[in-house]
Amino acid sequence: PRKVWLDCDPGHDDAIALLLALYLDQIQLVGISSVNGNAPLVYTHANAAQLLALYRAPKDLPLHRGLAKPLKKEYIHPPVSIHGHSGLDGVLHMPPLAHPSVRHWYDQFEPSTDSSDLDKNEPQTKEGDGTAVPALIAYLENSVPEGEKITVVITGPCTNIAAVRHLRPQLFDTKVDKVVIMGGAFDIPQWTPYAEFNIAVDPDALDELLKSRNVGVVLVPLNVTHKAIFDRKTHARLLDPSVTDLKEGDELPKPVSQLRESLSTMLTFFRDAYANQFGFTTGPPLHDALTIIHLTHPHLLKGRRGKLTVEISKTEKDGETSFSPSSEEKFSNLDLDSGEKAVESLVLEDLDVEAFFEVF
Ligand code: BDR
Ligand code: CA
């Protein structure tokens, strides 16, 4: 399996990306980091810890708290109507923060001294930055042998990973093969009049990643994620007791039926949010999940290669992504042979929707 570090801001669709990354055999998760985005960092970090417990992730998988602020801007808080106050509202059976299985991840590298906030199921306001940046640097340095590389997936603002590249460009460029980012949009309505949310929060971070001449960026923009609509038919299928690998007459194990309920309520919250906020009538787009599918089932997504840039002029256009394809040919993969020229980016555009939901 491909070794992957997942940087996320859960987030309902981040939660689906995490589930797929944990359970699809083509991926071996080597680390997870949280970043501010769908909610402030205290919440997205707590959500990641709760999800790892809910999903029964392997106990030795590390979760690191990331940077509390974008590289050069103030953090913009999205309206709570999209992901809720916590950034991941509405999930049935979510283990509470004070539960030992959650504390295992929540306090993994920065033990907290006061648990009273957790008993109220509200994360603590930790000041300052977490351990994600030094942890990824240490991982690349000590655990990725010379000549080998890992893949980095970002499903929130690019802040943590850009900080790693900024601090150790050579290490990053030799130990990371590509960065797969959910973000950006081209000629469709977006978060600001010019920019998609993840990129709008920290445009400078994407710009930093695009400076690399060795590490290619694969961008999964709204243009393709809006095709991954979790519609009513798929929702019914998620809850259909007959869709299992079990023999007839066998009962679905409780953790599995509970997980279905968790996912069902999670995606119902997200569906209502997308209907009310953006007028999506058929269901919510599972944006972030496609980053993982690109790695596990590359043939399901296709796009063009070319030069990707992002606006960082400190104007209203900040975060606007622009793309000049080098040809009209469509690819599922980014060729990593950079040779003499600057490496190209791959911007994904087409999705085999049915096959994606089959995998999901
Ligand atoms: C992106 O913003 C967040 O709301 C989602 O989690 C996704 O990463 C979509 O614009
Ligand atoms: Ca996200």
Side-chain angles (χ1 to χ4, degrees), residues 304-315:
R304 285 173 295 172
R305 293 182 190 154
K307 178 138 183 71
L308 179 65
T309 53
V310 59
E311 186 68 42
I312 50 162
S313 55
K314 305 284 167 289
T315 65

Side-chain angles (χ1 to χ4, degrees), residues 339-351:
E340 283 299 292
K341 62 185 166 87
V343 74
E344 292 192 312
S345 300
L346 172 66
V347 175
L348 294 172
E349 299 164 338
D350 304 336
L351 170 69

